[in-house]
């Protein structure tokens, strides 16, 4: 019986460390969520990992953005950054809670599962907020501006793009 408990705890620890490792791999050093390899909103993976609204603002001349479009994009970015900071703080707090739960003896799997679900719900909310911000930002562009944006993203213009 005790051997089964030890094997279960070790297996759970390995599984959870894999999940935590995967979660950390999805987050860059500055706390931004990384893309999944499929791109976002029809853009290539290279652009999916970028803060698209910032990219649009940095290329406002090429996109021929009006002053109203710039103000709206800045407001969308600001709102998203505030929400993202809160969500990322909640995710980090959940990860800390999870680490404490896994290190307890015995491990309460019900509490671990609830904590994991809470963390993942925050990740889903974060990604959904990001997608909503992208949709909202893209909706401000006319069709010509959207085509120009797509072309800029496909070029992978590293000369003018500053990550971070």
């Amino acid at each position: 019986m005790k051997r089964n408990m030890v094997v279960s705890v070790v297996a759970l620890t390995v599984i959870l460390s894999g999940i935590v490792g995967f979660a950390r791999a999805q987050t860059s050093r500055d706390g931004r969520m990384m893309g999944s390899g499929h791109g976002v909103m029809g853009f290539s993976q290279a652009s999916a990992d970028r803060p698209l609204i910032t990219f649009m603002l940095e290329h406002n001349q090429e996109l021929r953005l009006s002053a109203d479009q710039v103000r709206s994009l800045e407001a969308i970015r600001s709102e998203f950054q505030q929400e993202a900071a809160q969500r990322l703080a909640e995710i980090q707090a959940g990860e800390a809670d999870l680490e404490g739960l896994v290190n307890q003896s015995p491990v309460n799997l019900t509490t671990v599962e609830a904590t994991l679900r809470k963390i993942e719900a925050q990740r889903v909310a974060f990604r959904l907020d990001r997608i909503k911000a992208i949709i909202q930002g893209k909706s401000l562009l006319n069709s010509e501006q959207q085509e120009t944006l797509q072309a800029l993203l496909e070029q992978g213009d590293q000369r003018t793009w500053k990550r971070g």
Side-chain angles (χ1 to χ4, degrees), residues 41-57:
M41 306 303 299
F43 294 120
S44 68
Q45 177 58 37
S47 66
D49 290 341
R50 298 176 181 173
L52 188 61
I53 304 298
T54 298
F55 183 86
M56 292 164 64
L57 288 166

Side-chain angles (χ1 to χ4, degrees), residues 77-91:
R77 179 177 62 183
S78 178
E79 183 179 333
F80 173 74
Q81 287 173 337
Q82 290 173 356
E83 292 171 1
Q86 180 181 347
R87 294 229 188 262
L88 290 174
E90 290 171 2
I91 290 168

Side-chain angles (χ1 to χ4, degrees), residues 50-76:
R50 298 176 181 173
L52 188 61
I53 304 298
T54 298
F55 183 86
M56 292 164 64
L57 288 166
E58 288 179 354
H59 291 84
N60 70 54
Q61 290 180 342
E62 294 98 318
L63 294 170
R64 294 187 178 103
L65 298 176
S66 69
D68 285 340
Q69 285 175 312
V70 169
R71 276 191 297 277
S72 294
L73 287 169
E74 287 172 342
I76 291 167

Side-chain angles (χ1 to χ4, degrees), residues 11-162:
L12 176 65
T13 302
V14 169
I15 291 168
L16 290 176
S17 65
I19 291 170
V20 170
F22 175 76
R24 287 190 178 140
Q26 298 302 304
T27 307
S28 66
R29 285 186 205 160
D30 62 357
R32 291 189 184 146
M33 298 297 288
M34 301 298 288
S36 64
H38 301 293
V40 174
M41 306 303 299
F43 294 120
S44 68
Q45 177 58 37
S47 66
D49 290 341
R50 298 176 181 173
L52 188 61
I53 304 298
T54 298
F55 183 86
M56 292 164 64
L57 288 166
E58 288 179 354
H59 291 84
N60 70 54
Q61 290 180 342
E62 294 98 318
L63 294 170
R64 294 187 178 103
L65 298 176
S66 69
D68 285 340
Q69 285 175 312
V70 169
R71 276 191 297 277
S72 294
L73 287 169
E74 287 172 342
I76 291 167
R77 179 177 62 183
S78 178
E79 183 179 333
F80 173 74
Q81 287 173 337
Q82 290 173 356
E83 292 171 1
Q86 180 181 347
R87 294 229 188 262
L88 290 174
E90 290 171 2
I91 290 168
Q92 289 173 344
E95 293 288 354
D97 290 347
L98 179 62
E99 189 172 333
L101 291 170
V102 172
N103 290 328
Q104 290 179 356
S105 183
V107 174
N108 182 333
L109 289 177
T110 303
T111 307
V112 167
E113 180 181 0
T115 302
L116 280 170
R117 290 186 186 283
K118 185 177 176 184
I119 292 167
E120 292 309 312
Q122 287 300 323
R123 289 189 201 288
V124 168
F126 176 87
R127 291 182 74 187
L128 185 58
D129 288 347
R130 182 172 186 261
I131 290 168
K132 286 177 181 177
I134 290 170
I135 290 169
Q136 190 177 5
K138 281 183 57 184
S139 74
L140 297 174
L141 303 182
N142 63 36
S143 59
E144 182 181 314
Q145 290 170 323
Q146 288 187 19
E147 288 174 15
T148 302
L149 175 62
Q150 183 67 41
L152 286 169
L153 291 168
E154 287 173 0
Q155 288 173 6
D157 189 355
Q158 297 297 321
R159 292 173 288 127
T160 58
W161 177 247
K162 298 173 192 86

